[in-house]
Amino acid sequence: MNKIFHIYNSANNLPKGWNALVKHDLFLQVDYLKALEKASPDNIQLFYVGVFKDDLLVGIAIIQRVQLYLKDMFRKTQASLLRKFFKDTVSKILKGNILVVGNLTHTGQHGVYFDKENISQTIYLECIFNALEDIKKEIKEKQNKRIRAIMFKDYFFDDGIHSEAAFFSSHKLYRVTVQPNMIMKMQPEWQVIDDYIACMNKKYRTRYRRAKKKLSIIKCQELDIEAIKNNENKLYNLYLNVSNNAKFNTFLLPENHFYSLKFYLKDNFRVFGYYLNNKLIGFFTLILNNKNLETYFLGYDVEHQYSNQLYLNMLYEMVKYGIDNRFSSIVYARTAMEIKSSVGAKPEAMAIYMKHTNRFINGILREVFGLMNPKQDWEERHPFK
């Protein structure tokens, strides 16, 4: 059988059968990809790969070209002169373009899928790697830019891709453990939020009630598409309050991002705002991915974050939404792992595969990546009896 691949530069041109193949994951489906295209970070360019067996689509991949200028992405935090020197050195080493097999804007494996009945994993991965080489050539020819690194992003430790160690080794990609994905498994006995609270030990029941009390007169309500459009600038500024406080970030969302997702995903994208005296002071977003409730970006006024425990209340509200709508899990993603564990999320270890095109740098990239993906010292909480 003849096995070939095609590269597409627009979600509008994806082949017949694409959605049917990836119906298990909304992040691989055409509507989501269209939304991301319309509101992608300025430094990210999207490519799509279709793998065929004769005329049948048997595999797909999402590839992002990321223009990574590391020095600009370290936030202005206090650092020793030695650490500042190291950051500046790393910035010079990695400045440039990388290709990511996956989605840099969301935690998790949302980049590859193939039909095991019609193509082997090894042949599928070879097709994806050949597509990466073609994309590298296209970028060099059309934009005179050289790809500095390649990354296959975010695989749980039990993912079948890890059986392809020989493939990754032959292409000089090595495995690196990254920060875990925080995931909360929903329990069948949780029919309403009170059932969830009843499962907590006394300390965390008290914490829940204290957080709700501190919310005071602040009200949480869902925004429809018109309200999202009308509050676009305010939502964006609240998002920036959180994004700009991060020590490290690889992208910045554009202002139309939330409206674009709502326009294309409709009821599968939800925005909830927090109002104090009719003023929007915070928000969080959710993506409904089949039985998985995926938490997305959020934002808040800093002055209300600690006094009203906005962030913790958002996490509890996500739990309530998950229970009320019978989701099997809530994917809380990375960052703020300790507070997420305090509401019941558990860390699920993940790994990536990566390489640098410079042999010397590739040899030290594992250590360099430790700075790009800093480990956090945190204590896992255990809120349940």
Side-chain angles (χ1 to χ4, degrees), residues 184 202 237:
M184 182 173 176
K202 183 178 179 181
N237 286 328

Side-chain angles (χ1 to χ4, degrees), residues 14 18-19 22-36 46 48 60-64 102-113 153 181 257 261 265 268-269 285-290 292-297 331 333:
L14 294 179
W18 184 284
N19 270 358
V22 296
K23 58 186 177 182
H24 66 288
D25 188 355
L26 180 142
F27 290 94
L28 299 178
Q29 293 170 17
V30 174
D31 283 343
Y32 171 77
L33 299 175
K34 286 181 178 179
L36 187 58
L46 291 160
Y48 314 99
I60 64 94
I62 312 301
I63 298 175
Q64 296 180 340
N103 186 351
L104 201 65
T105 68
H106 192 65
T107 301
Q109 193 288 91
H110 302 291
V112 297
Y113 184 74
K153 178 182 174 287
N181 196 345
H257 187 82
L261 261 67
L265 298 185
N268 284 327
F269 181 67
T285 58
L286 300 171
I287 293 179
L288 284 54
N289 189 12
N290 293 314
N292 297 316
L293 182 62
E294 307 260 358
T295 67
Y296 203 54
F297 292 96
V331 182

Side-chain angles (χ1 to χ4, degrees), residues 84-95:
K84 184 178 184 300
F85 172 78
F86 186 46
K87 286 180 178 180
D88 289 344
T89 301
V90 170
S91 301
K92 293 174 183 177
I93 290 174
L94 292 184
K95 178 181 177 181

Side-chain angles (χ1 to χ4, degrees), residues 221-243 253-260 262 269-275 280-285 297-301 314:
Q221 65 184 58
E222 185 170 4
L223 279 67
D224 61 18
I225 190 168
E226 184 177 354
I228 294 170
K229 184 63 176 177
N230 292 338
N231 288 279
E232 195 168 71
N233 182 256
K234 182 60 177 177
L235 290 168
Y236 189 64
N237 286 328
L238 292 171
Y239 153 74
L240 288 179
N241 286 343
V242 176
S243 177
L253 298 177
E255 188 169 315
N256 68 329
H257 187 82
F258 304 117
Y259 174 78
S260 179
K262 187 63 175 177
F269 181 67
R270 302 296 179 96
V271 180
F272 293 86
Y274 284 81
Y275 289 86
L280 185 63
I281 62 167
F283 77 96
F284 68 87
T285 58
F297 292 96
L298 55 80
Y300 47 70
D301 276 338
M314 289 178 185

Side-chain angles (χ1 to χ4, degrees), residues 192-231:
V192 293
I193 189 66
D194 286 344
D195 297 331
Y196 161 79
I197 299 166
C199 287
M200 291 178 166
N201 60 45
K202 183 178 179 181
K203 174 182 176 180
Y204 287 94
R205 286 199 307 272
T206 301
R207 191 178 192 222
Y208 175 89
R209 291 168 183 147
R210 185 189 304 120
K212 288 298 179 182
K213 186 176 181 180
K214 285 193 173 185
L215 203 57
S216 186
I217 62 172
I218 296 172
K219 302 297 182 183
C220 177
Q221 65 184 58
E222 185 170 4
L223 279 67
D224 61 18
I225 190 168
E226 184 177 354
I228 294 170
K229 184 63 176 177
N230 292 338
N231 288 279

Side-chain angles (χ1 to χ4, degrees), residues 135-150:
I135 292 171
K136 285 168 60 178
K137 292 175 184 176
E138 178 183 329
I139 292 171
K140 180 63 177 175
E141 292 172 359
K142 293 183 177 180
Q143 302 177 43
N144 198 30
K145 298 291 184 180
R146 184 163 63 90
I147 297 300
R148 304 292 292 273
I150 292 174

